[in-house]
Amino acid sequence: MARNIEIKARIPSVERLVPMAAAIADEGPVAIRQDDTFFLCNTGRLKLRTFAAGNGELIYYRRADLAGPKESFYLRTPIAAPDILRESLSLAYGQAGRVVKQRTLFLAGQTRIHLDRVQGLGDFLELEVVLEDSQSGEEGAQEARRIMALLSVDASQLIEGAYVDLLNGKDVSR
């Protein structure tokens, strides 16, 4: 499985961070509309992500619900018919929630910078430091903290869980 180090933080506004992210990015911005359906899963999280073009991907991942940088193990599978798969998985496992967001993506080295406007929740920053096989989680955590500093994001802004947890009313603040 692939690995990354992730952080998620509340931010005042996407617009405020766009110029800061652009200043450190190698690529972007890319606007992406995402509709994520989460399914009940006992061993991690399972979500079906649908894109505006009508395609999608099934994503399974495991990570601790911690506020700071945390290691995530994930597997992504491209899907040509996400609406049919959503119906099948909903019938088989049940839905845990749905998250609709507008994402602005920047790439800075090995880090994916996501500026997310989440329907019903507000604005967030998510960093994903994609790890090489030879890299330790601590190396990725250091990189996440470095980029947080460049974006003027403080540790007090970090949240623990996923957007779906916030939408479901779970307290995932620090």
Side-chain angles (χ1 to χ4, degrees):
M1 267 199 259
R3 300 178 303 135
N4 67 25
I5 298 296
E6 296 183 20
I7 67 98
K8 194 177 308 265
R10 289 185 184 276
I11 58 173
S13 75
V14 165
E15 293 79 13
R16 187 170 167 187
L17 263 67
V18 164
M20 298 165 76
I24 64 171
D26 306 315
E27 296 179 40
V30 177
I32 308 167
R33 184 182 181 283
Q34 297 178 338
D35 182 346
D36 294 346
T37 303
F38 286 78
F39 300 95
L40 300 174
C41 180
N42 294 328
T43 60
R45 295 185 192 262
L46 182 66
K47 69 181 171 185
L48 176 64
R49 173 166 288 159
T50 304
F51 300 105
N55 59 333
E57 59 186 357
L58 187 65
I59 305 167
Y60 170 77
Y61 66 97
R62 290 189 326 254
R63 72 164 187 246
D65 286 334
L66 302 170
K70 57 226 164 235
E71 193 165 10
S72 177
F73 299 87
Y74 62 93
L75 182 62
R76 297 167 42 191
T77 306
I79 302 295
D83 292 336
I84 296 168
L85 183 58
R86 178 184 298 110
E87 186 175 346
S88 295
L89 291 172
S90 296
L91 291 170
Y93 299 107
Q95 288 188 16
R98 198 157 178 179
V99 176
V100 177
K101 64 183 169 288
Q102 182 63 41
R103 171 166 282 175
T104 303
L105 168 68
F106 291 92
L107 300 177
Q110 70 188 94
T111 303
R112 297 172 56 88
I113 301 170
H114 302 153
L115 302 177
D116 293 338
R117 177 154 289 144
V118 183
Q119 190 174 26
L121 289 179
D123 292 358
F124 295 83
L125 164 71
E126 181 179 83
L127 299 178
E128 294 179 350
V129 181
V130 180
L131 298 174
E132 300 288 331
D133 288 341
S134 62
Q135 281 186 295
S136 70
E138 184 51 39
E139 287 177 86
Q142 288 174 2
E143 179 65 6
R145 286 189 285 272
R146 184 185 76 79
I147 292 181
M148 282 175 57
L150 291 172
L151 297 175
S152 298
V153 173
D154 187 77
S156 65
Q157 294 172 260
L158 296 176
I159 62 170
E160 294 178 2
Y163 298 138
V164 71
D165 297 327
L166 291 171
L167 286 168
N168 288 338
K170 292 182 182 174
D171 180 14
V172 293
S173 59
R174 219 167 164 220

